[in-house]
Each structure stands twice: as C-alpha cells, then as structure tokens.
Amino acid sequence: MSRPVFSNPFGAAGGAAPPPSSQPPPQGYAGASYPGAPPPAPATYSAPPPAARPTSVPPPASAVMSPASSPAAPSTPQGSRPPPFGGGSGGGGGAGPGQNAPPSSVLSPSGAAGGTQPYSPSASYGTPPPAAARVAPPPSQEDVARRQNAESAAPSAASRPPPAAAFQPAPAGGGYPGQGHAQPPAGYPQQPPPQQQQQHGQQWQGQQQPPAHGSGYPQQHPHAPSSLPHPNLPPFHPANQRPPPAGQLPPSHPPPQQHGAGYPPQQVSGGYPPQTQPHHPPHQPHQQQQHQQQHQQQRAPSGQPAYGGQYVNANAGRPQGQGHRIDPHAIPSPVATVQAAYEAGAPAQFHTRVNQQPPPPDVPFVTVDEGNAGPRFLRPTTYTLPVSRAVAEQCRLPLGVVVQPLAEPQEGEEPVPVVDMGACGPVRCTRCRAYANPFDVFMDGGRASRCSLCGHINQVPQDYFCPTQPNGMRMDLAHRPELTRGVVDIAATHEYMLRTPSPLGTVFLIDVSAPSLNCGLLHTLVTSIRSILQSLPESSPQRFAIVTYDDTLHFYNIKPGSTQPQMMVVPDLENPFLPVSAESLLVPYHESKAAFDSLLELLPQIFEGNRAPGSAFGSAVNAAGLLLKDTGGKLVAFQHSLPACGSGKLENRLQQQQRLVAGKDGAFFQPQVDFYKMLGETLADAQIGVDVFVFANDYVDVATISDLCKFTGGEMYFFPRFSANQDRVKLHNELHRNVTRTQGYEGIMRVRVGNGLQVQHLVGDMVRKRGFDMEVATISCDKSFVVTMEHDGVLEDTSQGGGESVIQSALLYTSSDGQRRIRLCTLSLQTTPNAAQVFRSADLSAVFTINTRLSVQRLLSNEVAPVRKQLVESCVSTLCMYRKHCSSAGTGSGQLILPESLKLLPVLTLAFMKHPAMRPESPVDERAYWRTKLGSMSMSTLLLSVYPKMVPIHRLPPPVLLKNGLEITPPTARLMSSLLEQQGVYLISTGLRMFLWLGRAADSNVLQQLFGVPSMQELGSKFTFVSPEESELSARVRRLIRSLQSESPIFQQLHIVKQGEASERGALQLFVEDGRDENMAMGENEFYEHVHQLSYVAFLCRVHRKVQAAV
C-alpha cells in the first residue's frame, strides 16, 4: 500500500526551522544533498512512487551527510493501581531412518574424504534425490592459475559468463558467489552481463525435471500425496507446484525475463527447478572438460552419491593440526535468498494453495489469494502438520503460526475485500463458532454446511441460502469473497459492538520541560505534526488533541470554529481533571485548522525559557486518558528524560549501582514500580493504546515505561542521544507512518484450530483475560503475534484421503475511519505421519520467529545465559531429530546434516545471540527497547535486524527495476569482516539504521561519482553526495537506499563511516559471522556465557558435536 505524498516539513516554506544549536555539526548532515532525496528544491518534496511498503520521506534538500528543580508531588505508592483517569482510587507414526528423507545440506572441510550416504530415496517415490545445497572449498593454486588463464583468453569482459555458483571457489577478496570482478566502466562499476545460461537434462514427460546438481530445490514427485481438490477453490496453478524453501541458492544465472507466475519464475524451456550448466568460455572446450572433472571429484567422497553437498568431519573446527577446518565461505548463509530473488528478475507470484511453501518474507513476491491466507497474514512453522503428538516428537519443531492480521498488501496484490452480509451478520458454526470460509462444504442442495474446523453440520440461514451446482459449489460463489478468499474483512453488526464506533482519536502528549527545549525537540515536533496534519485528506474523520506537560499539565481548547487556542493549566498531578469537555479538546483537524495551526506556531514561544527541570510523565499519561475514556483511541507520548515528579516517579537505578556485571543485570529489566503496568491495564480496559517516543540523553528506564506499550498494543520508539539537526528527518518519517498507516483500535482476536489440535501459548503485545482471547487496545499493520499449538488428538491423514487441518484467526476491531469490522484469515494445511515430510515443508522464518519470541518472553524473568542455552538446545534438538529419523541408516557419525528447509537455523540462532537485545555490552535502555520491539515486530523486519544486508557498491550488477521506481536488492555479501576490501564501499541495512562503509583505499572512480573527490584524503570529514543528474552511480545509490528503506517500517537513517575510525565500531558489530574459535576445554556453563563471542564456524562445530552426542 503506497504512502501519501507530503511536504518536507523542514524546508524554507515548510514551517519554522529548528533553533540554532551550539552543538557541533551532528553526524548525518552537512550541506546540500542526501542519498535517496530528489534534486534540490526550495521548499517541498514529493515522495517517490508508491512502494511495496510505505517509503520514507528523504531529508530536506539542504541536508548533507556527515560521518558519523520544582518540588515533586507525592507519588502513588508502589504496587497500588493508579486512579482510572484522574480522581478516586484504582478500579477499573513416524518415518524410519532414510525413509522419504527431505533434501539436506551436508557439509565437509576442504580435502575431507570418506563418509556415508546422507540420503536414501524412497522406493515409493522413485525420483532421483533432490540436490543438496552445494558448498565449495577454498581455491587451490592450480584452480587460481586455471581461472586466470581462462579469463585472460576470453574475448572480452563483457562476453565472459561467470562460473556457476555451485562450483565457484570463494573469491580471495571477498564478495558474493557468482559475482565477477571486471574493471568498472565510465558510468558506474557494474558486473559484466553474463550470457544466457543453457538448459540440460532430458525433459520428463508429464513430470517435472529432476533437479540440477547443487540446485538445492526439493523435488515433488507427481505420485506424491497431494491435497484433494475443493469445490469452492479455483483450479490448481501449476507454476507453484514446488516453491523452494527459504535459504536456497540456485545456480548463478542472469536475471531472466519473467515468463509467468511461480516461485521462482520458470524459464520457457520448462522444468522446475531451472536446469543449468556451469558457464565456460565457448572457445576453450578443454577448460570445460577440466572443470567438469574437477566437479566430479568435488561432488562427494568415494562411494557417495554425486547429487549431494560435501561432508563435515567430526574434528571440523578444531585448532590447526587436530583435523580439517570448515571453509567459512562454504557453509549456508542467508545471502543466497537475496541472490535468488535478484536472479529471478521480477517479484515472483505465489498462489496460496494447500501445502505450498511461500518465498522467504525478506524477498519481494506477489501473493495471489486462492482461498488460503497469504504468508504475510498467517505463516505456520510447517505447511504439513504431523498427524499425532508422537510424530511431532520425532521432529521437535515448534508447532505454531505467526499472525499479522492487518498486514498491508504489497505492490501488485489485490486489496482485502470488505464483505457486508446484511442484518443476518457473518455466518458461523454453532459448535466451535468458526466463521464461514472457503473450506466449508455445502450439502443437501445448499441447505446445510459442514464446518471445516470441527466437522459439525450446520443449517444454512435462510438469508444466506443459495442452491448448489451438481459439483457441490454454490451458484453465487463468484459473489461471495468469504468463500473464495483466505483473507476478508466482514462488516460487523450491532451484536459485535459495545458502543457506537467512532473515528480514531489521537492525543499528542508533548514534554516541554527544560531538557526537551534545550535539545530542540519541541521545535522539531510542532513542525512535523503540522506537516502531517496538513497532508491528511479533508475528508479524514480522525480527531486530534494536543496536551503538553512539565511539572504541570496544559490542555488546549481548539473547538470547531475557533481561530485562537485557549490554554488551561492543571497543577494537580495526583487527581487530574479535564478543564472543559472532551469535544472542545479532541476535534478533526480540518474543522479547526486555524486553531491547530496557531497553536503549533505558538507553542515554542509559550515555553521559551521554561526552566522546569523534570516532567510528570506518569501523571500526564493518566490525564490524557480522560480525553479518550468514552470513545477509545491512542496516545502518542514524547518523553525526554526520567519521570521526576508526580505519579510514576522513577529513580536512576544506574546511579544506585555504579557497576553493571555482564550477564548479571537482569534486575534492570524488571519494572522499577508497578504503576505503569497497572496504568497500562487501566487504559487497555478503556481501549486506549499508548505509543511512546523516548529521546534519551541519559538513562530513562525504558524497561519500566515500556509496560504502557506492552499492555495496550502500543509501540516504542527510541532516539538515543537525540539531536534535532541529525534526527529530525527520522523522527518526522516515523511519526508520519505512526499516524497514517493501516491501524485500528478496540480489538479482540482469537485463533481457532481444527480437531486434534489446541492452542497452547499466545505471545504478543496484548492482554489476555478470557480463555485464549487476545484483547488489544490498538493494533497496526506492523504488529504480529505468535500462537503455538499442541496435539490433543490424532489428525486425519490427507495422504490417505483425510481432510486438511484448518486454522482461522478472527480479529474484531474498529478501523481508523470508525468502521467496525472482522478481519478473517483462514489457512488449510495438509497432514502426514511422515516426519521427513514435516521437515520438507518446514518454514524457517516462522520457526525462527517463534523461537525468538519465546526467548524474549523468557528474558523477562531470566538472565541471558539460560535463555541462550534454551535457544541452542532448541536448535540442536531439531537437527538431532532430523538426523535420527530422516537421514540414511548408513550416514557416518562425522557428518553434519542440515535439513534443506532449516539449513540457516544455526546461523540465525547465533546472529540473534549477538543482537543488541542479547549483547551484554549494549546500554541497558537499548537492550530494553529491543526486547520490547522484538515482542511484536513483523518477520521481515526481524530477519533484517538479526542478519542485515550488505551490498557491495563498488561491484554493483545491473539493476532490476520494479514498477514503483525502486529496485530489487542486488546480491549481498556475507557478514564477515574478512570479506571487507580496503578498496570497497559497502551499504549495510539493519532495519533500524543504515551504514555506508568506506574502505581506506576506496576506489577512486566510486568516490568521484558519489562525492566528487578522487581519494579518501580529499574527502575530509563531511560528505556531500553528487547530484543524481551528474552521476549515474549517485542516482543508483540513492534509489538503492530508498529501496532498502522501504523494506522496514522503521526509518533507516544513513550513517557514513570510514575504515579505522571510531565511528566504524557500530558497523563492525553487525558482522555476526565473525568471532573467536572455541576453546575445546570450555565447560558447558562457560560455553553459554560466551557463546555470543564465537564465530559461525566455531558455533556450527559445537552444534555438530552436540547433535553427535545426542544421537
């Protein structure tokens, strides 16, 4: 869904600029241009074309990047519930070894020999085994010489195709598989266009082609069990017969033209997955023959099948002389998914049919709703459920689903339909109360229907009756989205309303104490708020109010028709009250535009010179709730310093304990007082959500304040060391999205599951009061929840003709324009008694998200080390069960076998343990912020924050443009500092911020085109980007920055860092594959204390030994 166009609020004509500051120029700005911004304009900026996600507004055209006490009122006693809005007291049968084994990744050190067969195909399937993800050893001297000779004999760099990714040794200077190293042309450095790859392998008649060596794609045999066709669903789309799992790396090939739907896009010559050969210079057949001979030697040790990867020795990862080492460039990495999406050439189409695994959430794709909810709304941990608890124990996968009910449709996707079913309201099952969905079966000529969840036969209401055709489908099916779409909005009737719904009301609660004024926060806020309100359509019914606070509370009368605001001061912090009616304080902007604009212009003048040293944050939140207690809505609070007076006063716990002990500081993440938790529960009861913007120049106790967000469904925003000049653009963009994104309030959600399953845990920002109902005061499109399940019976086996298992989430909410709706998301999954099939259908993103959410929840009551142990043990347990129940009986004990669908689970587990939320050296407030944020963020944002994307700017391949003017992320490099080249320039996106890393000897051509200087010595300490009209590379980098910013709902501000300078430290902490080797004498407890310091190779070897010991 596109973001509305709005003006730059900080230009000459966009409002008052922030006051001059005596601080030195901050990092991030220094002059006249900004990557991602349009050509300089005198006053306004039009946002770029609509993106797959809302794009962020660039900084003003005048910006240039640069590197990097009043008496306290008595407080509410601890443990007592705050007064509800002012006065008074508070109230308010598994597969055996080798049977139908799914594709695996089998790793080995370079030069290792021996081993046993890791996979035995099932006789019943009869297909060649799928190719495992191939990893290449480091190049030998002969390989390097052979490659140099081949390159020198090639006719030209432009015509030389790159070698296939499956056979290419890791480049000595870093980079990514399949990327050439040609000299950059005059325009900008780019990879020479590869030749069109050839297809090989005989086309199977009536079947899919067998996978190519090293492709890593799972193979679906045509005789394998599949879902039965459903009368209410459209015909099966062949393009999605076997979408690949997350983390695969197909052979390197140029971005092909899109010839149809499917993931990945199919080539015209047919066959899935695409069949390729290694690329070789056409005029050197002897080189090709030598390369093929070398490939045959690399496939597997003697006696092993030639389809698989390589093998890991039990001694792998030990110090030199004690065994072979794993090549760190050869083990699985998330960069493969980015490269596969780039090579596809265009966003793939995913058709939501039963048992079809979707693309990873961090790559672009277009969902076609064919009756099943798309993966942006519901994403299960496996698309084939185990039929019983015993089969689930053979997998040890978390059984659950990630729910993001208000997810925004992306570019090219149809909007969610709104269905009005009239006075009769939505049709529901009389037993389980599930809603009618595409998997219900109508019978008796349309007079009855069988519930897809519980199987109960219901009589169809007379108002909903329609005759059926001979095949059982209703004759009005084309006009019933609730029976053909997996995600719909249903208009709620009066029985679903506790009060008359009204448009969303928003109260801006602004800190005007002296510390807030000194940093320029007030000037920045009023400029942004005015710009955001002016950008709203005149028909918008949303209502707004402004409340300010220091050691007193200030309300403003802006009733419709008035031209000047009236300020009213409330000094009582313990029992606040409204000086006038809420209708005079909370009004639509366009009905009191003159009063709003006048107030926002006068606020900096009113509080100029204010000397109040502290603020009554808790009392201000309690008082602002009075404005919304009758209608519900949300508070957007801006807090600069630790609450110093009034209710909810907090102490600086860091001063009380001067020295923090790493790993023993759990008390700092427990709430200091219960006031904010109780206030949050009180506000949630009144359907009021709280979003908090924290501007921290010092400790503000985020762990305590964040309870307001957790219990009301709100969101926390964190600006450490806030500077108005540096952070004003980030603040404006995040506040704009907060106000204008898809959101609702007064919500209650329930997830229902079919017979044989039951809901086990609910995790997210909500309040759980009755059974498994999740009450959310406010909910936005960026919020997600985790629901885990367990067996309470035996499911029907779909391979034996049984029915599928259906999951349905129902969110009852009020939209921002005041419409009461029910958002239904329905997902049908196949079942199997085969553990191998469960692993084959596993979804890495959902598994990792659920593991992460459960770990964040445990952090609330545990130290970090026990949580690390549970994370590692969960990963080891899953890999152990796969080896025990799905690998061949002859597999050697020295081999580490990773299921193809979960081969990235170890690296993501290690990366999460190095995340700021888990890193002991991170500031307390930063860790508390991340633990709050991780509890509800979307899967795509989570994956990006755990394993960032690093794009080599000095080796950019040709762009793959999207219809909205952005581009698909080009191939990224692995997060290993050893891959950083001193001649290189790298763009790193973390989902929260962005870094442009410049090597000491950065390419002069790149520097000239980006900054207009030929060397790092002339660059100095300030960076001014060249105009996009003057440099093609500058225009490309700006577009790439906008593209990466659109991948995260958090605005990513760019920081430019130089190699070797102090500002580089923040960027180097992102290299999660770095670390030290493991000390073999390290005990178990010591290992979990220091596991976050290990390298990826060392961690993988430790996981291997744990799996080996468990088996």
Side-chain angles (χ1 to χ4, degrees), residues 381-615:
T381 53
T382 177
Y383 281 81
T384 304
L385 297 174
V387 296
S388 64
R389 189 186 299 268
V391 181
E393 282 295 319
Q394 294 179 2
C395 303
R396 297 284 177 87
L397 284 173
L399 195 62
V401 62
V402 181
V403 186
Q404 192 172 344
L406 296 184
E408 291 182 313
Q410 302 302 295
E411 186 76 20
E413 297 179 352
E414 295 183 6
V416 176
V418 180
V419 181
D420 188 348
M421 305 182 72
C424 68
V427 177
R428 305 181 65 177
C429 175
T430 57
R431 176 192 289 175
C432 69
R433 304 303 295 162
Y435 294 82
N437 60 77
F439 304 98
D440 288 348
V441 178
F442 289 86
M443 55 188 63
D444 191 18
R447 297 179 181 87
S449 65
R450 184 174 64 241
C451 176
S452 58
L453 275 80
C454 69
H456 181 65
I457 305 299
N458 298 280
Q459 295 300 315
V460 175
Q462 185 64 32
D463 294 342
Y464 196 67
F465 170 77
C466 179
T468 58
Q469 302 176 15
N471 59 4
M473 292 191 298
R474 288 171 56 109
M475 300 184 68
D476 64 346
L477 196 61
H479 305 286
R480 291 290 182 184
E482 71 275 12
L483 299 180
T484 58
R485 299 284 293 270
V487 181
V488 294
D489 263 338
I490 297 181
T493 50
H494 290 290
E495 55 265 29
Y496 294 90
M497 305 177 188
L498 295 177
R499 55 191 174 193
T500 302
S502 59
L504 179 66
T506 302
V507 178
F508 296 112
L509 191 59
I510 304 175
D511 182 358
V512 293
S513 61
S516 174
L517 298 177
N518 293 338
C519 70
L521 176 60
L522 180 59
H523 290 263
T524 305
L525 280 177
V526 296
T527 304
S528 290
I529 293 174
R530 178 169 50 206
S531 174
I532 293 169
L533 295 180
Q534 291 174 350
S535 70
L536 296 176
E538 292 190 6
S539 59
S540 174
Q542 295 187 48
R543 299 163 300 145
F544 299 92
I546 296 177
V547 178
T548 58
Y549 68 98
D550 43 23
D551 53 3
T552 57
L553 310 176
H554 322 119
F555 294 87
Y556 300 91
N557 186 344
I558 47 176
K559 62 182 179 181
S562 62
T563 58
Q564 292 295 326
Q566 180 184 3
M567 178 178 176
M568 293 159 287
V569 179
V570 177
D572 191 345
L573 300 180
E574 295 301 321
N575 297 289
F577 57 91
L578 291 182
V580 293
S581 64
E583 290 75 13
S584 298
L585 304 173
L586 186 69
V587 299
Y589 169 73
H590 290 288
E591 293 184 11
S592 297
K593 184 177 184 301
F596 263 112
D597 292 344
S598 177
L599 173 61
L600 292 171
E601 185 177 354
L602 290 174
L603 279 178
Q605 304 175 22
I606 294 174
F607 294 101
E608 184 177 4
N610 186 12
R611 298 183 179 274
S615 63

Side-chain angles (χ1 to χ4, degrees), residues 56 191 238 281 362 372 375 391 489 608 645 649 671 768 773 783 813 869 872 945 951 1069:
S56 303
Q191 180 184 359
D362 55 345
N372 253 358
V391 181
D489 263 338
E608 184 177 4
C645 56
K649 176 183 177 181
R768 177 177 167 183
D773 288 344
K783 288 283 185 178
Y813 73 105
K869 181 177 180 179
V872 175
S945 70
V951 181
Q1069 290 178 342

Side-chain angles (χ1 to χ4, degrees), residues 828-841:
S828 179
L829 302 174
Q830 287 188 335
T831 61
T832 182
N834 190 336
Q837 182 63 28
V838 176
F839 275 106
R840 185 180 291 113
S841 303

Side-chain angles (χ1 to χ4, degrees), residues 741-807:
R741 64 187 171 183
T742 302
Q743 56 192 317
Y745 70 102
E746 199 172 357
I748 181 170
M749 187 173 76
R750 167 168 285 199
V751 175
R752 296 178 173 88
V753 295
N755 290 334
L757 294 174
Q758 64 180 4
V759 174
Q760 184 182 20
H761 297 297
L762 306 172
V763 184
D765 292 346
M766 49 82 184
V767 176
R768 177 177 167 183
K769 293 183 178 180
R770 297 182 298 272
F772 289 99
D773 288 344
M774 294 180 283
E775 297 187 9
V776 287
T778 55
I779 183 171
S780 72
C781 58
D782 301 326
K783 288 283 185 178
S784 67
F785 304 89
V786 159
V787 180
T788 62
M789 305 175 294
E790 61 182 356
H791 287 82
D792 65 352
V794 179
L795 307 179
E796 298 181 20
D797 184 1
T798 54
S799 64
Q800 301 299 323
E804 296 107 354
S805 184
V806 176
I807 302 171

